[in-house]
Amino acid sequence: MNTIKPFDYPIHITRPVLPDLNKVFKKLREIWESKWLTNMGDQHKALELKLLQYLKTKYLSLFCNGTLALELAIEALKLTGEVITTPFTFPATVNSLYRSNITPIFCDIKLNDLNIDEDGIEDLISPKTSGIMPVHVFGNPCEVEKLERIAKKNNLKVIYDAAHCFGVEYKDIGIGNFGDISMFSFHATKIFHTIEGGALTYNNSELKEDLNLLKNFGIKNENEVILPGTNAKMNELQAAIGLLSLTLVKKEIEMRKNLTSIYQENLKDIEGIKYLDKKKEVKHNYQYFPILIDESKFNFNRDYVYEYLKKFNIFSRRYFYPLCTEYRFSKKKANCRIPNANKIVNQVLCLPLYGELKREEIEKICAILISTLKI
Ligand code: T4K
């Protein structure tokens, strides 16, 4: 019988980082006075400049969300046919391919970082392959150098889904510098957010104009519409929230780093529970804290623990269950071999992580998790 009492308030997987409301009012007043609400106004311009510096990238374009940004990246790079990607990701990654009439070809993942297995990619290349879309899962960078070599050798474009990677660096280089384009999500659940929003970063200056056209109906000027673009603009209120949240990111990352080490300390000797190792030469952002529960060593399987935590008012998440290959509209190829992804998808559990959490709350979450061993 467990004697630990449930939390008397819900502990969510995350909570948004919220700027001071007075500062938000001040920004709103500025916007109201300008009477400029969207279509690349002053807030938008200011945020683009700040993010270029923060993310240490050459070029950057803002969008109303990360998913549309991804779709427009695919269009800007003119990807067609097949794109090799991972089955272990949020629906947005592969849905952006389906929505662009591209068939995702699923490559297995690696057990050490849950990212696409770079060594499996070349076997999946066909005459129809136009690109690779790897995901830096949970903010852990893929092996970008290896991917670059594969892409170059096979003349393929690379779009990184860097939705979880705000502020992540590899060898002191902003993660958004790798590949042809990287997509960052600025959704409310991310360490940096604009409520909804996203950005693409890239090194090719020519993409800037194409992306501007694609996100603004293809309008070149008052007399010319030169391509069938859509509306994917970030508005001024979103950009203003971004400018304010950006000042909070450093502290949020610091707090999450401390909280992560409390989790690791409390869970380090528990047989059957593993967490991902810190990668060498990577500046992490501590966006998520995933653990892997191995049923053969731990008392229970991941789903049991997930439900058990709920009884204590703790809302962990099974990101990314189900695998993309299991969606009812998924076009899984008959020879799709993804044993690691099939194994991991039943083991991963993301535990609550956000700066406001207290040491005692994390210790209690761990104690409840460990208490399953005594059932
Ligand atoms: N690629 C990858 C790899 C991604 O993970 C994502 C998004 C994308 C692409 C697409 O980027 P965006 O188009 O979204 O910019 C959430 C987010 O909505 C989603 O952005 C994110 N990945 C995904 C991993 O997490 P859900 O379905 O888990 O959201 P939801 O509503 O269940 O929220 C999770 C928890 O967060 C809630 O239980 C409580 C807390 N929460 C949430 C919201 C919205 C709050 O406290 N306040 C809030 O306003 O997808």
Side-chain angles (χ1 to χ4, degrees), residues 12-16 65-68 70 89-90 92-93 135 161 163-164 183-190 196-198 288 315 317 319-320:
H12 293 287
I13 180 76
T14 191
R15 301 262 73 184
N65 62 55
T67 306
L68 271 175
L70 215 44
T89 182
F90 195 64
T93 317
V135 181
D161 182 333
H164 305 166
M183 181 282 286
F184 293 84
S185 164
F186 301 158
H187 183 263
T189 52
K190 302 295 183 297
E196 291 272 5
Y288 293 101
F315 299 93
R317 292 300 282 263
Y319 294 135
F320 297 102

Side-chain angles (χ1 to χ4, degrees), residues 263-288:
Y263 267 129
Q264 290 175 334
E265 186 56 30
N266 278 269
L267 298 176
K268 73 171 186 263
D269 295 325
I270 309 301
E271 212 184 342
I273 291 192
K274 260 185 21 190
Y275 39 81
L276 301 181
D277 290 331
K278 216 169 169 285
K279 284 193 159 183
K280 276 192 204 133
E281 301 184 278
V282 173
K283 185 176 154 200
H284 287 270
N285 69 356
Y286 305 93
Q287 172 70 62
Y288 293 101

Side-chain angles (χ1 to χ4, degrees), residues 206-250:
E206 286 168 22
L207 285 172
K208 181 84 186 170
E209 199 190 334
D210 293 349
L211 290 167
N212 278 345
L213 286 165
L214 284 169
K215 72 174 173 184
N216 191 29
F217 315 102
I219 298 175
K220 184 165 170 72
N221 55 47
E222 283 186 32
N223 302 312
E224 290 174 281
V225 178
I226 63 168
L227 51 83
T230 185
N231 180 358
K233 290 163 284 157
M234 175 180 282
N235 68 47
E236 289 291 276
L237 274 71
Q238 287 174 291
I241 295 295
L243 286 166
L244 295 174
S245 342
L246 195 56
T247 62
L248 308 173
V249 172
K250 198 168 166 231

Side-chain angles (χ1 to χ4, degrees), residues 4-5 31 37 41 65 67 108 137 202 251 287 304 306 350:
I4 310 175
K5 287 209 174 74
I31 295 169
L37 303 184
N65 62 55
T67 306
D108 204 6
V137 175
Y202 42 92
K251 191 161 169 230
Q287 172 70 62
Y304 181 91
Y306 166 73
C350 286

Side-chain angles (χ1 to χ4, degrees), residues 3 13 16 23 28 74 121 124 126 134 161 163 167-168 187-188 190 202 222 226 246 264 298 303 316 352 368-369 374:
T3 53
I13 180 76
K23 291 190 178 157
L28 281 179
I74 292 167
I121 291 177
L124 300 172
S126 81
D161 182 333
V168 170
H187 183 263
K190 302 295 183 297
Y202 42 92
E222 283 186 32
I226 63 168
L246 195 56
Q264 290 175 334
F298 197 67
D303 288 346
S316 58
I368 292 168
L369 217 166
K374 295 179 195 136

